[in-house]
Amino acid sequence: MTSRRSAGHLGRADSARGPSAAGLRLGLARAVALTCLATLIPALFLAFIQLPHLHPLWLATVGGGIIGFSLLLPVYAWSFGDVRWLCGAYALVSLLGLATWVWAWTSPLRANHAPWLWMCVGIAAVCAAIATTVPLGFVYTVVSALVFGAVRMTRSGGDLSALEAMQDVLTLLVLPTALLLLIRFFANAVDELDATTADSQQVEADRAIDRALHQQRTVLDGIIHDRVMTTLVAAVQTDQSRGEVAELARTALDAVADAGSAPDGAQLLDLHQLARLIEDMVDPVCPLAEVIVDASGDDLTVTAAVASVLGQAAREAALNVSRHAEAENCTITVSARMDRGDQQVRVDIRDDGKGFDPEDLPENRFGIRVSMRERLTHIGGTVDISSRPGEGTRVSLLWVGREQRSADAAARRRVSQALRSVLRVEVFVFLVWLMVGVQVLVGWLASLGEDSDWTPVALGLAVFATAVALWRAGERRISNLGAIVVVLCLAVISELAHVPMPAVRGLGYASWHGTVVMVLLITVLVRGRREIAWVGLGVFVVQALVWTYGHDLGPYVFLDIVFGPLLWMVLATLVVRGVRSIGEQLVRVRSASRQNTQAMAESFSKLVLREVWLAELRAQIGPLLQNLADPAHQLSAEERDACRVLEGRLRDALRAGNLVSQGVSDAIQAARGRGVEVVLVDNRGSRLPETVRRETLRQLERLVRDSTGGRIVARTAPEGYAEAVTILRVDAERNLTTIDEAGTVTVRKT
């Protein structure tokens, strides 16, 4: 089984990815589009101040590009969903604008403010991740932050010192990095969620099919026991009225006909169900065959009618393997893929037998001509046979049809549990604290030389208290009390950080605490306390407003402090809300699809009943019951013997299903004719593992065919026993063959 995962590609429209990942991509694209549009307003406000000092060509290229892409992004996000090229263009223009800022600055004066592009750089990093991958988004973040730091040390960037420029670099690094980490963890989580729900879908569908098959098998066994076997026993008895036997036979035939009413031929089967149907149809005639599913096309489906024909053709090919190939191994591979709008379903039957020259194959070979080629031609399929003497044989069944997909998604595991199981919040919090530690360290260094040396110590204690509150919050979700403690600590950090600000030149590095506050509030948001996180942001904005108003610093300083935290809080909220929306949708899908799953299982079980079990039963009893149903037909001694033998075969199948196949039944019938006593006892209570069952049927058929007298007793053990199957052969000597749960065969004399 193969699968494809591409968790790093956030914007890729990959059909192999699941609905959760697709939903995250769409939600993230729309959130980024709105954020780019929202960023444009304050960016233009700052750009207006610096407009006279910038080259017109640069303004037309970079400024016009950012404006144009910001306006186009929401249109594409809501119309098409795929905004990769626009995001890539936005990120490229932003980086190009930073790299050429020194050239674009035409004034001889030193800039009083940071380049207005700093507002676009953070969201541009997310755009770069959407256009490419999250790791490349990290690379973009580092490169753009370093370029911005270099610009800040020039006249056009404010002529800052290296330490001040480093603070700006970290400001541009920390928040985009935190959000990219958040996106990466959510992307991994929803990818794992899709894989988990896909697995649970298959498990739930298989269980529904098992239940439906068990119900159908119970009905069929009742018909065989109460109708068919009763008729056969009555026919053997010479004193039974011929009219009564005929009436019993007609009743049995009617019961078999009623049980085999055709299912809905338009019912869709996925690839796993097709493989299971083929396995059930092939197993009785070729137990050594192993069915494998290539799951790369497991979202494709075929109708029950097409599945029936493919199964019948595969059965004929497998029957040829048993009769003619003398093979040790036979593999049936079921696969599907899309090709130019059409879906191709292929069933390959390979064996390692003696092979043959296809040129020597008679054109009128009934099994190949009717059971394979004509059946496939009727549904628009083809048969290709490839073989060489001594090199085995490959039979390829190919059906090509228009794409058919199930209307409803499969049942899903409850998403909240799955998300909690795959989302590694502890790792996220650890990385966040690593970034916070770096930012605090630079803040301390930036404060050195100021009179308020006590401030860094107090800030460190406040950050430590916040860390304790976060780490004591448990593995996944922080408590209300813990979240409130975090907000209080962050308020203290903000107040302490405001103390040295008026004493320093420039406020870029002195307002470093805004990054720390924002990262920690995003962490609170991720850990399930959205309302408290927004209250904390409100407290932070009010503190910044009071401080800037009290020191008469103007709106630019206020915007410089609160813009980044507000922007990233909005974007993080949109991402978290998008993931929650995905979860709610999956829960609704699971609830809505249960009835569809059950209906599909019932239809599939009826298909198996008709195409496998009843087909085998009709082949065994059809002609004989037709003769018995005719009251004018006088039974011969040979027909009575046939009734006796057939009744024995049916009894074996009812009592020991794990030990019976068509080949084994034929061998037992012949052995009993030679005087060999064969006893089958099935204590398993469930189906043997396929490896064990294949080896059991192989060994049992060989022993029965080789016996000329004596007694053979084959017995399956209940689940949990080391020896799954024992076969005792008593003739001139006693030999015991055992097969364990791994399919290992051991033979010893007793």
Side-chain angles (χ1 to χ4, degrees):
M1 182 178 293
T2 61
S3 60
R4 293 173 289 178
R5 294 272 306 279
S6 54
H9 295 269
L10 293 178
R12 183 160 308 221
D14 186 355
S15 61
R17 302 186 67 196
S20 300
L24 178 64
R25 284 197 307 271
L26 180 60
L28 183 60
R30 292 177 175 178
V32 168
L34 289 178
T35 306
C36 289
L37 191 61
T39 303
L40 185 62
I41 299 174
L44 290 178
F45 171 76
L46 296 180
F48 182 78
I49 300 175
Q50 299 173 334
L51 193 65
H53 308 292
L54 295 173
H55 196 283
L57 180 60
W58 185 93
L59 283 173
T61 304
V62 176
I66 290 178
I67 293 173
F69 294 136
S70 297
L71 294 176
L72 283 175
L73 271 167
V75 176
Y76 269 72
W78 263 266
S79 299
F80 307 105
D82 187 1
V83 295
R84 282 177 294 162
W85 76 271
L86 279 173
C87 285
Y90 185 96
L92 184 62
V93 170
S94 299
L95 186 58
L96 178 65
L98 278 180
T100 57
W101 177 269
V102 176
W103 172 83
W105 187 263
T106 59
S107 173
L109 301 176
R110 179 179 62 85
N112 293 325
H113 305 294
W116 63 271
L117 284 174
W118 76 266
M119 290 190 169
C120 304
V121 172
I123 191 63
V126 180
C127 287
I130 292 177
T132 56
T133 63
V134 173
L136 288 179
F138 283 122
V139 173
Y140 181 94
T141 302
V142 174
V143 171
S144 59
L146 291 176
V147 172
F148 183 77
V151 169
R152 288 288 274 157
M153 290 188 290
T154 67
R155 174 174 49 85
S156 62
D159 198 19
L160 300 185
S161 66
L163 189 60
E164 292 170 329
M166 183 186 301
Q167 174 59 36
D168 280 349
V169 169
L170 287 173
T171 300
L172 290 183
L173 274 177
V174 174
L175 284 175
T177 300
L179 189 61
L180 287 177
L181 285 172
L182 174 65
I183 293 172
R184 180 59 182 266
F185 282 119
F186 275 143
N188 290 340
V190 296
D191 270 346
E192 293 186 36
L193 175 63
D194 281 329
T196 300
T197 52
D199 291 341
S200 67
Q201 165 196 356
Q202 192 59 48
V203 170
E204 187 169 345
D206 287 343
R207 287 176 177 172
I209 289 174
D210 286 338
R211 291 191 297 268
L213 286 174
H214 178 72
Q215 293 173 355
Q216 295 291 346
R217 187 76 234 189
T218 301
V219 172
L220 180 61
D221 288 347
I223 294 173
I224 293 173
H225 183 272
D226 298 338
R227 303 295 185 184
V228 178
M229 291 177 62
T230 300
T231 302
L232 295 175
V233 171
V236 172
Q237 298 172 354
T238 57
D239 58 346
Q240 187 76 28
S241 167
R242 187 68 188 85
E244 293 179 2
V245 173
E247 181 62 29
L248 289 173
R250 285 193 295 269
T251 303
L253 288 171
D254 290 342
V256 172
D258 291 341
S261 57
D264 181 9
Q267 173 69 38
L268 298 181
L269 278 70
D270 63 26
L271 206 60
H272 293 276
Q273 293 162 348
L274 172 62
R276 182 161 181 171
L277 176 65
I278 291 174
E279 183 178 22
D280 288 336
M281 297 179 75
V282 166
D283 185 71
V285 299
C286 186
L288 63 88
E290 179 182 7
V291 180
I292 300 173
V293 180
D294 179 358
S296 58
D298 60 0
D299 59 338
L300 302 179
T301 58
V302 296
T303 63
V306 170
S308 174
V309 173
L310 289 173
Q312 291 165 3
R315 175 189 173 97
E316 181 63 29
L319 182 59
N320 288 334
V321 173
S322 295
R323 288 176 175 174
H324 310 295
E326 300 178 7
E328 291 294 325
N329 298 284
C330 177
T331 302
I332 301 177
T333 304
V334 183
S335 61
R337 69 185 183 93
M338 292 301 302
D339 182 22
R340 302 173 186 175
D342 293 336
Q343 69 174 28
Q344 297 183 354
V345 178
R346 182 181 297 275
V347 180
D348 288 322
I349 302 97
R350 299 174 183 266
D351 68 74
D352 58 359
K354 62 183 181 180
F356 61 94
D357 186 351
E359 296 295 331
D360 297 336
L361 194 67
E363 286 294 328
N364 60 351
R365 175 87 170 265
F366 182 81
I368 293 177
R369 178 174 60 83
V370 176
S371 292
M372 295 171 63
R373 285 203 172 101
E374 290 188 6
R375 288 181 187 274
L376 265 295
T377 302
H378 183 68
I379 62 170
T382 59
V383 178
D384 179 62
I385 301 175
S386 174
S387 181
R388 294 181 62 182
E391 297 184 6
T393 302
R394 178 181 63 83
V395 177
S396 292
L397 313 175
L398 177 64
W399 174 78
V400 180
R402 299 303 301 174
E403 180 180 5
Q404 302 177 69
R405 294 180 183 271
S406 180
D408 296 313
R412 314 265 181 184
R413 178 176 299 176
R414 189 167 187 83
V415 68
S416 58
Q417 298 174 350
L419 276 176
R420 285 198 298 270
S421 67
V422 298
L423 188 58
R424 305 293 186 264
V425 176
E426 306 93 332
V427 180
F428 173 74
V429 172
F430 172 77
L431 294 175
V432 165
W433 274 109
L434 184 62
M435 291 186 296
V436 168
V438 174
Q439 189 78 341
V440 170
L441 176 62
V442 175
W444 286 0
L445 293 176
S447 299
L448 292 179
E450 304 297 331
D451 295 334
S452 52
D453 290 341
W454 54 270
T455 303
V457 178
L459 288 174
L461 293 175
V463 171
F464 176 76
T466 307
V468 171
L470 280 172
W471 283 111
R472 290 182 62 84
E475 292 188 357
R476 304 282 185 232
R477 186 177 178 89
I478 192 172
S479 66
N480 282 324
L481 179 60
I484 292 173
V485 171
V486 171
V487 171
L488 292 177
C489 290
L490 294 180
V492 173
I493 290 175
S494 297
E495 286 300 322
L496 293 175
H498 289 160
V499 173
M501 281 189 182
V504 299
R505 182 178 67 83
L507 297 170
Y509 74 89
S511 60
W512 62 270
H513 70 291
T515 302
V516 177
V517 169
M518 198 60 256
V519 170
L520 298 180
L521 287 179
I522 289 178
T523 304
V524 172
L525 172 72
V526 172
R527 302 193 72 174
R529 299 302 175 190
R530 179 182 57 188
E531 295 81 5
I532 296 179
W534 275 97
V535 169
L537 180 63
V539 171
F540 173 76
V541 171
V542 170
Q543 287 178 297
L545 181 62
V546 170
W547 180 77
T548 54
Y549 178 79
H551 292 84
D552 198 22
L553 297 176
Y556 176 81
V557 175
F558 173 75
L559 187 63
D560 180 64
I561 293 175
V562 304
F563 173 76
L566 183 61
L567 171 69
W568 295 109
M569 191 67 171
V570 170
L571 192 54
T573 301
L574 291 174
V575 172
V576 174
R577 179 174 293 179
V579 173
R580 184 179 295 110
S581 176
I582 293 169
E584 293 172 353
Q585 180 182 5
L586 289 179
V587 171
R588 290 194 298 269
V589 165
R590 182 191 181 197
S591 176
S593 64
R594 283 178 176 172
Q595 293 182 350
N596 180 67
T597 300
Q598 184 60 36
M600 180 181 60
E602 292 176 359
S603 179
F604 176 77
S605 66
K606 291 180 180 179
L607 183 66
V608 172
L609 173 67
R610 182 171 66 93
E611 299 294 339
V612 182
W613 300 336
L614 288 175
E616 295 173 4
L617 183 61
R618 288 194 186 97
Q620 286 182 309
I621 68 172
L624 190 55
L625 281 186
Q626 289 293 345
N627 289 336
L628 294 178
D630 182 5
H633 178 75
Q634 297 299 317
L635 296 179
S636 64
E638 291 77 10
E639 287 176 322
R640 295 184 187 277
D641 289 339
C643 289
R644 186 180 296 106
V645 170
L646 183 55
E647 193 269 341
R649 291 176 68 123
L650 293 176
R651 181 179 291 107
D652 287 341
L654 287 178
R655 293 180 177 178
N658 279 309
L659 299 170
V660 174
S661 69
Q662 183 169 317
V664 171
S665 295
D666 292 341
I668 290 175
Q669 179 180 338
R672 285 172 175 166
R674 297 192 301 270
V676 180
E677 182 184 359
V678 181
V679 179
L680 306 179
V681 182
D682 192 353
N683 296 317
R684 178 76 178 184
S686 62
R687 187 180 177 89
L688 283 169
E690 284 305 310
T691 302
V692 180
R693 187 168 186 270
R694 285 196 300 270
E695 195 58 48
T696 297
L697 297 176
R698 188 201 304 265
Q699 294 294 328
L700 182 57
E701 184 174 351
R702 179 183 61 81
L703 290 172
V704 172
R705 290 191 185 279
D706 292 345
S707 296
T708 57
R711 187 168 184 256
I712 295 177
V713 179
R715 185 186 304 270
T716 63
E719 293 185 32
Y721 280 70
E723 296 177 345
V725 180
T726 59
I727 306 174
L728 177 64
R729 176 181 175 182
V730 180
D731 45 21
E733 58 185 19
R734 294 167 60 93
N735 292 307
L736 181 63
T737 301
T738 61
I739 305 172
D740 64 18
E741 289 285 346
T744 303
V745 180
T746 304
V747 181
R748 63 180 183 272
K749 294 182 179 180
T750 60

